[in-house]
Amino acid sequence: MTLFELKHPDRLALFLDFDGTLVEIAEKPDAVQLAETTRETLTRLKRALDGALAIVTGRDIEKIDAMLAPFRCPVAGVHGLTRRDALGRAHGALIEATFLDEAQRRLERLARTEVGLLIERKSHAIAIHYRGRPDLEHACLEVMEGIARLDDRVRLVRGKMVIEARPTGGDKGMAVADFMMEPPFSGRQPLFAGDDVTDEDAFEVVNRQGGLTLKIGPGETCAQYRVADTASFLAWLGETADTLEKGHAID
Ligand SMILES: [Mg+2]
């Protein structure tokens, strides 16, 4: 499957979302598993790109490390609020633990009376997943709007069947821009692939930087290219790893 002609694949800096991009979305976030072939593909790509591969996800960095292990790479977590760069240095925004505690209490009150909701507390944000109860979208939104009013430095971000309360500040686009100022990413052409509305910030930044943007699945987007689903994207990723390794062999 040729999506687009990569003129200099060895000059790419690859930025990949995780859920819906490298793994199929599951009913519960903890139920997803990275396929061994995908782990191998990531390992091959990172080697061929001299380390210029990062995961840019809504999850905590620690969760991603655990899912990818023993593979490890730079990661931006919580939609760009936290970041571990190529040297292993941590960058992050601040959020009050007391705010997260109060938000958790309010969400638990809702989840106790309604089964099928899932609360996800992260290091820098808190989210409610209603994939198991799409009928409760409005109820979840109401509680989350109340939570957002507790602190004017907090904003809501909506994803697929999930609403998250997080500090204003970083987003996936800013995380990519930060990576692109540092080795081994700087001087390369960024390529960002993602499936959700939170990836749009990154698409915008990468488009502006003359990079390539790829949307997985349906939905409005400012990405330049689209693939139908996660499986098609993973097939393309594997082929890109093949191309890169062939290029290295010729050198
Ligand atoms: Mg995603």
Side-chain angles (χ1 to χ4, degrees), residues 61-73:
I61 292 173
E62 299 71 35
K63 278 258 164 80
I64 290 296
D65 281 346
M67 299 256 189
L68 296 178
F71 177 78
R72 196 175 157 91
C73 67

Side-chain angles (χ1 to χ4, degrees), residues 1 3 24 216 227-239:
M1 176 191 54
L3 258 180
E24 304 278 356
I216 292 135
V227 286
D229 49 31
T230 308
S232 315
F233 175 68
L234 291 174
W236 176 82
L237 205 60
E239 285 168 25

Side-chain angles (χ1 to χ4, degrees), residues 129-230:
H129 295 260
Y130 54 91
R131 186 166 295 272
R133 289 293 301 275
D135 57 307
L136 291 178
E137 178 179 2
H138 187 73
C140 290
L141 187 59
E142 222 167 40
V143 174
M144 288 301 271
E145 281 172 348
I147 287 168
R149 280 194 293 272
L150 291 172
D151 188 328
D152 58 13
R153 294 165 300 176
V154 167
R155 67 180 171 118
L156 297 185
V157 175
R158 304 192 61 176
K160 288 179 180 167
M161 303 280 179
V162 55
I163 310 168
E164 179 172 283
R166 53 190 272 115
T168 49
D171 59 40
K172 285 189 169 189
M174 292 164 82
V176 170
D178 287 344
F179 276 129
M180 284 303 293
M181 287 191 288
E182 304 162 351
F185 303 96
S186 53
R188 290 173 167 266
Q189 182 186 32
L191 185 155
F192 191 98
D195 71 306
D196 210 343
V197 288
T198 52
D199 298 309
E200 295 296 320
D201 296 315
F203 290 151
E204 270 176 41
V205 165
V206 170
N207 285 342
R208 267 204 307 274
Q209 295 200 1
L212 300 163
T213 47
L214 178 56
K215 163 89 173 174
I216 292 135
E220 212 176 298
T221 184
C222 66
Q224 302 155 39
Y225 301 95
R226 190 192 299 271
V227 286
D229 49 31
T230 308

